[in-house]
Amino acid sequence: MPFWTLVPPQKQYPELSGHAWVPIDDHHTLAIMFSYTPDQPFYEKSRKLFKEGYKGRETGHHSAGNYVTKPLTTPYRNYWSRFNRANAYDYNYETGMPGLWLEDAACQSGVAPIYDRSKEHLGTSDTGIARVRRMLLDSIRRLTQGQPAPAVDSPESFMVRAVSITIPSGGDWTEYGRDLMKAQLGKGFGYTP
């Protein structure tokens, strides 16, 4: 099951971005970064920044020149970054990380691939983690009983998007943004970011 993160559009370059996290095995996850506009061609300036980086630094996406090709027996052999844990993501004590996405990658891959959950102490702020784990376990149980994962029967549940809005003082974001977060085919962003 892939996991998705969504980044809301910004005013200057309103595009939608996110990640798909696809487990490969117990030690590797394929992270696919994407950006798009829902109803028009992608901004050429954004395309160039993502492909080439900015002044020698990585941006929100992996630039094209920083992949290494692994042997044929390696899963997704053309999608491995030259930036990795072994070379500390080319971290430099004077200039920091060589780009934006590397900060997240370094933190995410710096943890143990398989963590001993018995040593974990989740609090109320970790409710999201607990709910995702419960959903995964429920999905596994369903699959072992020959039932599909819950979302298979409700494709409309995938029509959700991240939004960037300003709500009135004292406003309830869950109410104010509810309709804006519902994506509709052919309707663009559905609001002005």
Side-chain angles (χ1 to χ4, degrees):
M1 293 177 84
F3 295 87
W4 304 90
T5 58
L6 299 173
V7 179
Q10 303 300 313
K11 285 186 178 194
Q12 188 175 9
Y13 297 104
E15 61 217 12
L16 296 165
S17 297
H19 299 83
W21 303 92
V22 186
I24 297 173
D25 58 30
D26 285 344
H27 303 279
H28 299 92
T29 299
L30 175 65
I32 300 171
M33 295 179 264
F34 59 88
S35 289
Y36 67 97
T37 53
D39 62 346
Q40 60 187 0
F42 197 63
Y43 304 104
E44 193 55 41
K45 182 174 183 175
S46 295
R47 183 187 313 273
K48 184 176 181 186
L49 281 172
F50 292 157
K51 185 176 182 179
E52 300 173 9
Y54 179 72
K55 295 184 178 181
R57 297 179 58 79
E58 296 287 284
T59 60
H61 289 263
H62 197 289
S63 62
N66 287 314
Y67 287 102
V68 294
T69 301
K70 297 280 189 170
L72 283 171
T73 54
T74 304
Y76 304 98
R77 71 187 206 103
N78 295 320
Y79 291 94
W80 291 80
S81 175
R82 77 171 181 87
F83 303 104
N84 54 62
R85 192 186 318 184
N87 64 21
Y89 296 91
D90 282 358
Y91 177 78
N92 179 302
Y93 282 97
E94 292 181 21
T95 59
M97 286 292 190
L100 180 64
W101 72 265
L102 293 162
E103 295 172 7
D104 290 343
C107 293
Q108 292 158 355
S109 70
V111 298
I114 302 174
Y115 184 73
D116 181 356
R117 303 278 183 230
S118 68
K119 296 179 180 177
E120 200 170 51
H121 301 286
L122 297 179
T124 55
S125 64
D126 299 308
T127 301
I129 294 170
R131 290 183 71 183
V132 166
R133 288 181 184 161
R134 184 175 302 129
M135 183 271 307
L136 288 171
L137 290 171
D138 289 345
S139 294
I140 290 168
R141 283 187 201 101
R142 287 176 62 103
L143 288 171
T144 60
Q145 296 169 359
Q147 300 172 5
V152 170
D153 295 332
S154 58
E156 68 280 356
S157 65
F158 292 104
M159 296 301 288
V160 176
R161 64 168 161 229
V163 295
S164 178
I165 57 175
T166 302
I167 62 171
S169 178
D172 180 353
W173 71 269
T174 58
E175 288 300 320
Y176 193 79
R178 183 182 315 272
D179 289 337
L180 299 176
M181 289 186 275
K182 294 177 183 174
Q184 296 180 38
L185 296 177
K187 301 282 185 171
F189 289 108
Y191 72 104
T192 302

